[in-house]
Amino acid sequence: MISSVRIAGAALFLCSAASVPTLAKEAGYDIVIKGGTIVDGSGLAAYPGDVAIADGHIVAVGNLGKAKAAKTIDAAGLVVAPGFINIHSHAEPDGVSTAVNMLTQGVTTEIINADGGGGSDIAAQLPEMAANGLAENIGAYVGFNAVWRDAMGDRDLRPTPEQISSMKAAIEKNLKAGAWGVASGLDYRPSYYAKPEEVIEIVSVAKPWRTNFPNHDRLRPEDNLSSFKGMEETVLIGEKAGLVPVITHIKSAGKERGNAPKVLEMVAAATARGAWTAIDIYPYLAGQTMLQAFLVPGWAADGGRDAMLTRFKDPKLRPQLVEAAEYAMATRLGGAEGIALPDLGKRLTDIMAAENIGAGEAVLRTLERDPYTRANMTFGDEKDVIAFLQYPDTAVACDCGASIKNRGHPRYFGSFPKILGHYVRDTGTITMEDAVRKMSALPAAIIGMVDRGHIAPGMRADVMIFDPKTVRDHATFDAPTLPSDGVRHVIVNGVPALEGGAATGAKSGAVLLRDAHMPSRPMNTAKARSFTASGRSADYSVTVTAKQAAGERFATGTVKLTDVKLGTVWTADRLGTVQTTKGWASVTAVLKDKAGNRKAATLTLDRADGSAEAPLVTVALGGEAATVLPAKGAVQAE
């Protein structure tokens, strides 16, 4: 739990170098991972070392000698990395209790309601998802599409002031309930009908939360179905609303293939003017969605599927619909040849040949037989994927999720190992260190997560271990459920979830909730960062001094937390990672009392959230909560 502590004083200062610590004496742990190559999520160079885990946290990293543990994992020849965080998840309720397809990719956390879907009440949705136990951690966005549909239905209508207010209230309610951002899929009906100024007005209610706006970009006929214009709109909405824009499952599609340099120039320009913009990507040239989503124009879908199918039967409208579908295929996908129908086990061109009809007519007939038909649609160019993947602020997210079904796309089993195998080892497109960063610490920073994504003392013990020589994907579009190789062990909250490549059946996952002191932020491990803070209440007093030099693995400094009533004093045994952004800083730590008892802690300085007159320190100490009131004193923001 996280508690609030007002600060007596704080200042930022430069810091000295910190080395990888060596454990001075033997200690008992739950798990020790011995002799691996640690790629810690920061992007810094890999190094040899051991990792100790106790009480669901990483409590020591370095040369641990003959440290004792209930379980020892021999990681010789293997890479030890933070568990991967999938920030664009379509995980299913019957999948998260086992999550085999995600654990075998090294994923330990998924954030659902991507593309703005899912429920509009995560306080009810998440417990339902977790009802049968969780093999992985899950969190949720609040879905803009779900909120819009609740207010507006399936019609192309302008919202009234009352409806705008109700949508704002729904978003804020979900943020208070722990949502990790406001996700949207403006390319999907009915939120497709929302005008940019309406979206900005509605999602701006999230500005005080300093969170993010991942959006499946909207391609509109008036913009010639331009993916570039859609990405520009995502950045515009995020920037105007005061949220971090995230161009989710980025693609330069159809006639705009090869356009990645122009896209990245636009993204970098937004960041340079103060609207930091992030990206996520999956490593495939074809996506998957409902067949009607991209090929039936918005006006034809107004009112829902029944209304759409009625328009299909109108002899005056049908030629227009055929023409619109063919225009969309040519512009967005490069033609009908790029469309496969996994539910039917055939391609669109097979239907065209069998029925001797054109591409647009084949789309309409297929939807008349089953409006819920899914399609794998080829959109991309490998040079664009490489350029996007190499951009520093691009995270990897699979646009998939925990599932026990055949979802008809290889990304459900192969995305993350494909990055490690193909794009790291086989082609050298990115380094191992950067790949791990893009799948752990960077996605954590994008959504505001503080205590996951790094191998460092005090972090939650979500860890994956893989063989860099053998890791690879095997799933294909023809055989999408073939499991990947090379991920040997996965630990979720300190409990083995995958051993020797096989799921253990453990249900150690947790529902993860965001609070107001977890801002979306860029990573800044290349900079020196630090903070000091102190505060006192009737229950606790706390002082923190933490600093971390540019390029150093761990922070140095002191922490002293006193239980005023019991007289227990906790001091820093080891410090982990300092993370900072404007008006905010955090550090993880392992604290000890005089009796030698250990507790992990995350301490956060927050001067920017606007929730109080004075800055705050939040303290997460193991599983306990503490509330410390402000002491007198001023804090100078920098």
Side-chain angles (χ1 to χ4, degrees):
M1 295 179 66
I2 292 178
S3 58
S4 295
V5 183
R6 294 186 187 271
I7 304 166
L12 298 180
F13 49 89
L14 295 178
C15 50
S16 59
S19 61
V20 177
T22 299
L23 190 66
K25 60 181 181 179
E26 292 185 356
Y29 301 108
D30 297 332
I31 300 173
V32 169
I33 304 167
K34 292 285 294 180
T37 297
I38 299 173
V39 179
D40 63 10
S42 68
L44 299 176
Y47 65 98
D50 310 324
V51 178
I53 293 169
D55 299 323
H57 291 81
I58 296 169
V59 294
V61 181
N63 177 8
L64 303 187
K66 297 181 180 179
K68 297 177 181 178
K71 180 180 181 64
T72 299
I73 298 174
D74 181 0
L78 306 178
V79 171
V80 182
F84 297 154
I85 300 170
N86 179 25
I87 57 171
H88 190 110
S89 172
H90 295 285
E92 298 163 8
D94 58 359
V96 293
S97 64
T98 55
V100 175
N101 68 307
M102 303 309 295
L103 293 172
T104 51
Q105 296 188 65
V107 173
T108 56
T109 297
E110 298 202 75
I111 309 299
I112 62 172
N113 296 343
D115 295 326
S120 57
D121 182 2
I122 68 165
Q125 180 188 16
L126 287 170
E128 291 176 1
M129 288 279 287
N132 294 320
L134 295 170
E136 61 177 358
N137 304 310
I138 60 168
Y141 299 109
V142 51
F144 177 83
N145 296 40
V147 169
W148 179 274
R149 185 184 295 275
D150 285 352
M152 305 301 299
D154 289 317
R155 298 302 311 279
D156 183 1
L157 300 171
R158 305 279 52 80
T160 65
E162 292 75 19
Q163 289 168 324
I164 293 277
S165 294
S166 74
M167 287 186 270
K168 285 183 171 181
I171 289 174
E172 188 162 34
K173 173 186 174 183
N174 281 272
L175 290 169
K176 289 178 179 177
W180 291 94
V182 185
S184 181
L186 295 179
D187 214 20
Y188 296 107
R189 268 78 74 175
S191 63
Y192 177 88
Y193 303 126
K195 295 184 180 298
E197 59 270 21
E198 294 165 348
V199 182
I200 292 167
E201 182 178 0
I202 293 164
V203 303
S204 64
V205 72
K207 181 178 180 178
W209 295 79
R210 298 165 298 165
T211 190
N212 60 106
F213 176 72
N215 179 44
H216 179 113
D217 310 304
R218 172 167 51 187
L219 279 60
R220 298 181 293 187
E222 56 266 38
D223 293 325
N224 297 315
L225 299 179
S226 167
S227 58
F228 183 81
K229 290 292 185 181
M231 288 182 271
E232 277 191 324
E233 183 185 52
T234 296
V235 174
L236 170 72
I237 291 170
E239 184 173 9
K240 294 292 186 183
L243 308 180
V244 171
V246 182
I247 300 174
T248 192
H249 44 48
I250 192 169
K251 50 184 72 75
S252 192
K255 289 185 176 180
E256 294 180 324
R257 293 177 187 179
N259 211 30
K262 180 182 176 183
V263 174
L264 294 174
E265 183 179 322
M266 181 267 292
V267 170
T271 295
R273 65 177 180 263
W276 178 60
T277 298
I279 294 167
D280 74 54
I281 192 171
Y282 56 78
Y284 297 96
L285 299 179
Q288 184 187 95
T289 189
M290 307 308 292
L291 179 63
Q292 66 96 10
F294 297 162
L295 304 182
V296 175
W299 60 264
D302 184 8
R305 284 188 172 86
D306 290 343
M308 178 186 75
L309 294 174
T310 298
R311 294 186 181 101
F312 283 7
K313 294 180 173 63
D314 188 324
K316 294 182 179 179
L317 296 179
R318 194 173 186 96
Q320 298 177 42
L321 293 165
V322 167
E323 182 180 2
E326 292 180 349
Y327 174 72
M329 277 183 269
T331 305
R332 298 188 67 152
L333 308 173
E337 295 77 10
I339 300 177
L341 306 171
D343 296 328
L344 305 179
K346 60 182 70 174
R347 306 188 70 82
L348 188 68
T349 50
D350 296 332
I351 295 174
M352 294 165 60
E355 302 182 30
N356 193 28
I357 53 177
E361 181 64 27
V363 168
L364 267 59
R365 290 191 188 182
T366 300
L367 291 174
E368 285 173 327
R369 289 189 280 262
D370 182 2
Y372 297 93
T373 299
R374 295 176 301 164
N376 293 332
M377 302 182 183
T378 300
F379 58 79
D381 180 275
E382 181 66 11
K383 291 181 181 179
D384 286 333
V385 171
I386 291 171
F388 290 140
L389 189 59
Q390 291 175 334
Y391 186 70
D393 290 326
T394 299
V396 173
C398 68
D399 196 11
C400 68
S403 177
I404 60 174
K405 304 180 182 72
N406 179 351
R407 306 308 302 176
H409 196 296
R411 63 194 182 194
Y412 277 80
F413 280 82
S415 294
F416 296 87
K418 184 173 183 179
I419 295 292
L420 296 171
H422 178 70
Y423 289 102
V424 173
R425 183 188 58 241
D426 297 345
T427 67
T429 298
I430 55 176
T431 65
M432 180 72 73
E433 291 88 346
D434 200 33
V436 169
R437 182 186 71 87
K438 288 173 178 291
M439 296 187 281
S440 56
L442 179 59
I446 290 171
I447 62 173
M449 198 168 282
V450 176
D451 58 354
R452 287 176 165 85
H454 294 262
I455 299 292
M459 286 279 168
R460 294 281 182 172
D462 291 346
V463 181
M464 61 88 67
I465 304 170
F466 66 93
D467 186 338
K469 295 180 180 179
T470 64
V471 64
R472 69 174 60 253
D473 63 304
H474 294 293
T476 65
F477 286 96
D478 292 329
T481 62
L482 291 176
S484 297
D485 281 336
V487 176
R488 298 284 188 83
H489 304 275
V490 175
I491 297 166
V492 178
N493 293 312
V495 178
L498 194 81
E499 291 185 317
T504 66
K507 298 183 187 296
S508 59
V511 170
L512 306 184
L513 303 177
R514 180 188 181 276
D515 71 21
H517 307 293
M518 298 179 179
S520 295
R521 59 198 182 272
M523 289 185 66
N524 60 354
T525 52
K527 299 179 180 179
R529 58 250 188 234
S530 54
F531 71 87
T532 62
S534 63
R536 182 181 177 87
S537 75
D539 298 314
Y540 288 92
S541 67
V542 62
T543 60
V544 185
T545 300
K547 56 183 180 178
Q548 190 166 355
E552 288 295 337
R553 301 191 186 286
F554 306 125
T556 59
T558 61
V559 176
K560 183 178 180 181
L561 180 67
T562 303
D563 186 319
V564 174
K565 293 181 179 179
L566 298 178
T568 307
V569 178
W570 298 90
T571 58
D573 184 54
R574 297 178 183 85
L575 294 183
T577 297
V578 171
Q579 302 178 69
T580 62
T581 192
K582 183 178 179 181
W584 177 91
S586 79
V587 66
T588 56
V590 176
L591 308 183
K592 273 190 176 182
D593 66 9
K594 290 183 179 179
N597 299 307
R598 286 186 304 253
K599 282 193 177 182
T602 302
L603 303 107
T604 300
L605 163 66
D606 196 353
R607 301 193 297 243
D609 74 330
S611 65
E613 293 179 0
L616 302 171
V617 171
T618 61
V619 180
L621 179 63
E624 302 172 6
T627 301
V628 180
L629 298 176
K632 293 183 179 179
V635 177
Q636 194 166 10
E638 299 184 12

